[in-house]
Amino acid sequence: PCTLAIYVNNKTEDITGISFTIEMVSLNTLDPPVTTLKDFASNQYEFIYRLNKFTSDIPLDLINDNKTIIGNNHPAIQMEYIYPQVDDLRHALNIWAIDKDRDKGYTFSYSTKEGQEFAANIPSIRKILDSIEFIPIEPPREEPPREELSFID
């Protein structure tokens, strides 16, 4: 997997700030291999559920999950939930999308400490998600054969 993480904190050791991450995974490396958006979202939910169960006695508090659109009409599934972290609760939104042409799954995750800050940042998060583009893979252009010039020996 490949992950890009953006954290907004007052101090580098502060883990209570705003977090936005993008994770990319090859769908054929998941067990079992995934081919649909619904299966990818289920796989990722199970991972979050197991991780939370392993790290905390407090269960996830699922707020909602539904279909959504990111970028230019690209289907996705989102899940909003609250989970425990260290000494407080975090409010999170995960958005899952797949790119079948590249056999990749993407997880876009946003979280803050539980409270008003979560809702205040949703318009900015939506703008980021609306700017996502899945550019089609194109084969490399073939160079036309070079013709020899008639006046060069």
Side-chain angles (χ1 to χ4, degrees):
C2 175
T3 303
L4 166 68
I6 301 168
Y7 301 100
V8 181
N9 302 314
N10 295 331
K11 301 176 185 172
T12 55
E13 65 274 6
D14 180 10
I15 59 171
T16 62
I18 299 168
S19 167
F20 182 77
T21 63
I22 302 170
E23 182 178 1
M24 178 183 69
V25 62
S26 293
L27 297 175
N28 63 6
T29 63
L30 300 175
D31 186 25
V34 169
T35 58
T36 68
L37 175 58
K38 183 179 178 183
D39 289 345
F40 180 60
S42 293
N43 176 283
Q44 297 301 291
Y45 170 79
E46 286 297 322
F47 175 78
I48 293 167
Y49 178 81
R50 285 191 312 267
L51 180 63
N52 184 73
K53 195 172 182 181
F54 179 73
T55 60
S56 175
D57 293 332
I58 303 170
L60 290 176
D61 182 6
L62 180 62
I63 297 169
N64 70 53
D65 65 335
N66 55 16
K67 294 179 182 178
T68 189
I69 299 292
I70 61 171
N72 186 15
N73 205 25
H74 196 84
I77 295 176
Q78 68 182 22
M79 180 178 80
E80 183 179 353
Y81 60 101
I82 295 174
Y83 68 97
Q85 185 182 45
V86 189
D87 294 330
D88 63 7
L89 295 175
R90 304 276 298 168
H91 195 157
L93 177 68
N94 283 14
I95 296 93
W96 297 295
I98 63 172
D99 181 351
K100 288 183 182 180
D101 292 341
R102 292 182 179 87
D103 192 42
K104 302 292 182 205
Y106 299 90
T107 300
F108 304 91
S109 300
Y110 160 62
S111 71
T112 66
K113 187 173 180 179
E114 188 181 28
Q116 293 180 349
E117 190 173 38
F118 180 85
N121 290 305
I122 287 293
S124 296
I125 298 301
R126 241 0 286 176
K127 284 182 183 178
I128 293 169
L129 295 170
D130 289 343
S131 73
I132 301 295
E133 283 187 61
F134 293 91
I135 300 169
I137 298 174
E138 295 179 20
R141 288 186 163 172
E142 288 187 31
E143 291 289 325
R146 296 186 81 181
E147 294 182 26
E148 292 188 33
L149 299 174
S150 60
F151 60 88
I152 297 180
D153 290 335

